[in-house]
Amino acid sequence: MREPPPCQLPPRVERLRALMTDQSIDAIVCLKPENTFYLSGFNPIIYSHPAIVVVTLDHDPILLVFALRGQHARASAWVTDIRLFGTWSDIETLAPDWKEALMIILTSLRASGKTIGLEEGFIPVAQSRNLAEILPQAKFVDVSPFIDQCRLVKDPDEIKNARIAARIADVGMDAAFTALARAGSTERDVAIASTNAMNQYWAENYGDDVEICGFGSLEGGQHNGLAAWVLSGPRKSYACDNPTTRVPEPGETVSVFVWTVANGMHAELERTVCVGPVAEVEQRAIMDILEIRAKVDARMRPGIPVSELYEIAKKGFEAKGYGSIIPGRIGHAIGLGPHENASISATSPVILEPGMILTLEPHILIPDVCGTQFSDTILITETGREYLTRFSRGYLTVN
């Protein structure tokens, strides 16, 4: 077949190739949806057939997709080398199944018998066995940690999309806060008001170049990744659950969670809202966690180990009398995944760099007593940090 024209590669491809060279890896075969999008710009949304990206040191990334997805891939991917597999109508493909097509690609790249990286933290056992059968001479190694490392520092296009996701999240939180102030609003009412406002804002302010779909699986897809859920009173300790018909009562606190996505990049915005005056123990917990967050925030800049951020929070918990309920982490990386691999924890080896995007979310949770939920999406800049989510970070109350 005729070679496609070269594409302009984003910096992330060269970062990954540098790690491949360092680890003596000849080719990487990606099947994880977030990673195939990361290295191709294509999200089929429904992954009933795998989308595969092959990366080598001396060839532009190759995207291999099912025949039915070819037109969609050519319209949205930034890679130019797109190959097809499967049988569909009269569409010309490399082979009837992805395994044979992949073998053809790797053979043409002279990589079929060399060291090939796989996402062992994701790839199903059956697919791993398939690859071992069709490439018996290859040596397989796990590249999940290397791709996770690359994903920690965001490219300019990713930062741009994270800003959009964060702006939409601010709109959702504002709508949720307004809905909570209306007498008789249920958890569902608040969540629906938030998601409606976000979708309306997206429709009115962004064109077809901003998609809000998430990443699917073998059994379905996520066409709309703008989500909100609300947990009130004793339900706060659930952390994640569908909103119900429960009406938050005066004197209770409410946890509001808003998660968004724009062109694959996620943002997270979470707040605790008081319904009128609350018990002293809850009021104190909120004020204490806001103080702890402020101390951590003051150290968020390039060159700071995230373990140091955790230690600051730990000392704050202990000083405030919460030493027995210190959380295992106080935030995490966010990007193509709403929870990426790196955590702000005591054992993390990560050192903050410009371009990293993290959440900051130390929490106090004593079931049936009190609970806080504050989280923001934060970009590490050349000189410090920038809050991408900008909704009020103070003590919040509705009457």
Side-chain angles (χ1 to χ4, degrees):
M1 66 177 284
R2 181 184 299 173
E3 280 290 313
C7 58
Q8 184 171 352
L9 301 177
R12 50 188 172 269
V13 175
E14 292 309 317
R15 289 202 303 273
L16 184 59
R17 282 176 169 169
L19 289 170
M20 291 171 65
T21 299
D22 184 62
Q23 300 295 320
S24 300
I25 297 169
D26 299 291
I28 289 179
V29 175
C30 287
L31 290 102
K32 186 176 180 179
E34 291 84 352
N35 292 341
T36 57
F37 176 81
Y38 182 64
L39 295 168
S40 74
F42 178 56
N43 177 7
I45 304 176
I46 296 175
Y47 288 80
S48 49
H49 297 89
I52 301 171
V53 173
V54 178
V55 180
T56 61
L57 296 173
D58 55 4
H59 192 287
D60 280 358
I62 296 173
L63 173 63
L64 176 64
V65 296
F66 184 63
L68 187 60
R69 311 296 179 203
Q71 186 175 2
H72 184 191
R74 285 187 289 270
S76 59
W78 50 258
V79 300
T80 55
D81 195 342
I82 299 171
R83 318 280 180 94
L84 307 180
F85 70 89
T87 302
W88 196 271
S89 185
D90 60 351
I91 298 174
E92 183 179 352
T93 65
L94 279 181
D97 64 61
W98 67 267
K99 298 180 289 293
E100 185 178 348
L102 180 60
M103 183 175 63
I104 292 170
I105 292 171
L106 290 171
T107 300
S108 71
L109 296 172
R110 298 183 178 86
S112 59
K114 296 184 178 180
T115 301
I116 298 176
L118 301 177
E119 304 142 307
E120 292 184 0
F122 168 81
I123 189 170
V125 173
Q127 288 184 341
S128 179
R129 289 173 178 164
N130 290 151
L131 291 169
E133 289 171 0
I134 66 172
L135 301 167
Q137 303 303 315
K139 175 187 176 182
F140 295 105
V141 296
D142 183 20
V143 293
S144 295
F146 308 137
I147 298 176
D148 288 344
Q149 183 178 340
C150 282
R151 283 174 50 180
L152 268 177
V153 176
K154 303 336 184 197
D155 285 351
D157 63 311
E158 295 181 295
I159 294 173
K160 175 183 174 181
N161 291 319
R163 290 185 189 280
I164 295 172
R167 177 60 191 137
I168 295 172
D170 282 333
V171 170
M173 185 60 72
D174 185 69
F177 187 78
T178 300
L180 265 176
R182 289 195 289 266
S185 290
T186 67
E187 292 179 347
R188 288 185 184 178
D189 292 334
V190 176
I192 290 170
S194 178
T195 53
N196 283 349
M198 289 191 289
N199 277 277
Q200 191 67 36
Y201 183 83
W202 166 65
E204 292 176 354
N205 290 274
Y206 300 104
D208 295 338
D209 58 333
V210 175
E211 296 185 343
I212 56 170
C213 54
F215 298 99
S217 68
L218 293 176
E219 298 188 8
Q222 186 186 51
H223 288 78
N224 190 320
L226 308 182
W229 68 97
V230 180
L231 302 173
S232 62
R235 286 171 35 81
K236 295 194 303 295
S237 61
Y238 295 3
C240 185
D241 194 23
N242 259 206
T244 67
T245 57
R246 187 181 190 278
V247 177
E249 298 179 3
E252 291 183 339
T253 58
V254 181
S255 295
V256 181
F257 305 76
V258 176
W259 286 13
T260 57
V261 62
N263 291 335
M265 291 297 290
H266 290 77
E268 177 181 300
L269 176 58
E270 300 168 358
R271 292 291 185 265
T272 298
V273 182
C274 302
V275 183
V278 299
E280 182 180 351
V281 65
E282 289 227 80
Q283 185 179 31
R284 184 171 71 87
I286 293 171
M287 299 305 294
D288 287 343
I289 207 65
L290 292 178
E291 183 178 330
I292 291 170
R293 276 171 53 96
K295 289 180 178 178
V296 175
D297 173 66
R299 289 291 287 168
M300 294 190 75
R301 59 176 180 265
I304 300 298
V306 299
S307 58
E308 180 180 322
L309 301 181
Y310 182 83
E311 184 62 26
I312 293 169
K314 180 174 179 289
K315 289 179 179 178
F317 278 102
E318 292 170 342
K320 298 293 184 180
Y322 304 107
S324 63
I325 57 165
I326 298 174
R329 70 178 184 181
I330 60 164
H332 54 81
I334 187 170
L336 295 178
H339 287 89
E340 293 193 330
N341 193 46
S343 293
I344 303 179
S345 66
T347 59
S348 174
V350 173
I351 296 175
L352 295 181
E353 296 181 45
M356 289 182 175
I357 301 180
L358 307 166
T359 67
L360 177 59
E361 49 178 85
H363 299 318
I364 294 171
L365 176 60
I366 307 175
D368 301 321
V369 177
C370 65
T372 66
Q373 195 75 38
F374 290 89
S375 180
D376 283 282
T377 302
I378 302 171
L379 169 68
I380 303 302
T381 65
E382 294 290 339
T383 58
R385 88 293 178 267
E386 175 190 349
Y387 276 75
L388 301 184
T389 47
R390 300 184 178 184
F391 191 83
S392 172
R393 299 192 292 274
Y395 189 95
L396 300 172
T397 184
V398 295
N399 296 311

